[in-house]
Amino acid sequence: EVKLVESGGGVVRPGGSLRLSCTASGFIFDDYDMNWVRQVPGKGLEWVSRITWTGSTRYSDSVRGRFTVSRDEAEKAVYLQMDTLGAEDSAVYFCARDNLDTNLKIYYGLDVWGLGTTVIVAS
Amino acid sequence: VLTQSPVTLSLSAGATASMSCRASQTVWQSYLAWYQQKPGQAPRLLIFDTHNRATGIPARFSATGSGTHFILTIRDLEPGDSAFYYCQQRGDRSTFGPGTRLEIK
């Protein structure tokens, strides 16, 4: 079964740090780009970050300089290190597989999602 | 930036829903996808690469578009189609539209 499981969410004080993890199973992790997407309860989806299968990273303007995405092929995991957290970072954080075939020029979408992990930034 | 309209769509079962996604600039390679999200659940991929249905998505769901304008159409609406629908573009950085809420009366 193709699966993503996020962990690491919790309550943290403003200015604090948190590290989220996403563990993959059921597919060849090395072959795929991975994304983090967040959602404030009751609001829409916000793309946060991407790490490609080659290790290249991209961030949204709202988190660049504060968040760092990384991956560990041996662990089949992707991580999101979140620093200098503010109340605006409180959200459910989803990990999603990003399926792009650059040779065929076909974008298969964010085709696998985890259930999410909740981050609350509060004093 | 992606904008979606309408914000809310309220239709009867059996009707056809049509919702729009507009981009502020041409979507690179038409790398655009649509997702359905129900309360308390993760998003589910509906459409990839502008017009292709994802695995297990019924033919009632269709999509088209190019450049800066994309449309998702759902025929023969069922109560289970009540959800939020988001478009997403896959550029150098990805973005989501703000979503359309579909209510089935």
Side-chain angles (χ1 to χ4, degrees), chain A residues 17-36:
Chain A
S17 298
L18 209 56
R19 188 195 195 210
L20 305 183
S21 301
C22 169
T23 302
S25 60
F27 64 96
I28 303 173
F29 180 73
D30 303 20
D31 287 352
Y32 292 91
D33 301 348
M34 298 297 295
N35 284 228
W36 287 97

Side-chain angles (χ1 to χ4, degrees), chain A residues 66-83:
Chain A
R66 299 187 300 121
F67 290 13
T68 303
V69 62
S70 60
R71 63 191 293 158
D72 185 326
E73 310 300 340
E75 295 295 322
K76 296 184 181 179
V78 59
Y79 306 101
L80 188 67
Q81 176 66 41
M82 305 186 295
D83 298 319

Side-chain angles (χ1 to χ4, degrees), chain B residues 18-55:
Chain B
S18 184
M19 58 192 77
S20 169
C21 174
R22 288 188 181 270
S24 58
Q25 53 191 26
T26 298
V27 174
W28 173 249
Q29 301 284 2
S30 291
Y31 288 163
L32 188 112
W34 290 90
Y35 303 85
Q36 177 193 65
Q37 188 183 32
K38 298 180 179 180
Q41 296 184 14
R44 177 174 74 146
L45 177 67
L46 293 177
I47 301 290
F48 67 88
D49 212 45
T50 296
H51 60 85
N52 298 287
R53 282 187 302 278
T55 303

Side-chain angles (χ1 to χ4, degrees), chain A residues 85-99:
Chain A
L85 284 162
E88 68 277 11
D89 298 313
S90 296
V92 176
Y93 284 74
F94 295 100
C95 171
R97 187 176 82 172
D98 198 354
N99 196 345

Side-chain angles (χ1 to χ4, degrees), chain B residues 9-105:
Chain B
L9 206 46
S10 183
L11 296 167
S12 299
T16 296
S18 184
M19 58 192 77
S20 169
C21 174
R22 288 188 181 270
S24 58
Q25 53 191 26
T26 298
V27 174
W28 173 249
Q29 301 284 2
S30 291
Y31 288 163
L32 188 112
W34 290 90
Y35 303 85
Q36 177 193 65
Q37 188 183 32
K38 298 180 179 180
Q41 296 184 14
R44 177 174 74 146
L45 177 67
L46 293 177
I47 301 290
F48 67 88
D49 212 45
T50 296
H51 60 85
N52 298 287
R53 282 187 302 278
T55 303
I57 302 303
R60 302 186 296 108
F61 292 80
S62 63
T64 186
S66 64
T68 62
H69 190 206
F70 301 84
I71 297 173
L72 174 68
T73 300
I74 312 170
R75 293 183 293 103
D76 301 323
L77 287 169
E78 300 176 356
D81 297 332
S82 291
F84 285 86
Y85 292 83
Y86 297 94
C87 58
Q88 174 243 343
Q89 67 82 26
R90 212 285 194 184
D92 184 59
R93 291 167 180 77
S94 289
T95 52
F96 287 92
T100 289
R101 180 184 180 187
L102 175 60
E103 299 175 335
I104 309 301
K105 292 186 282 191

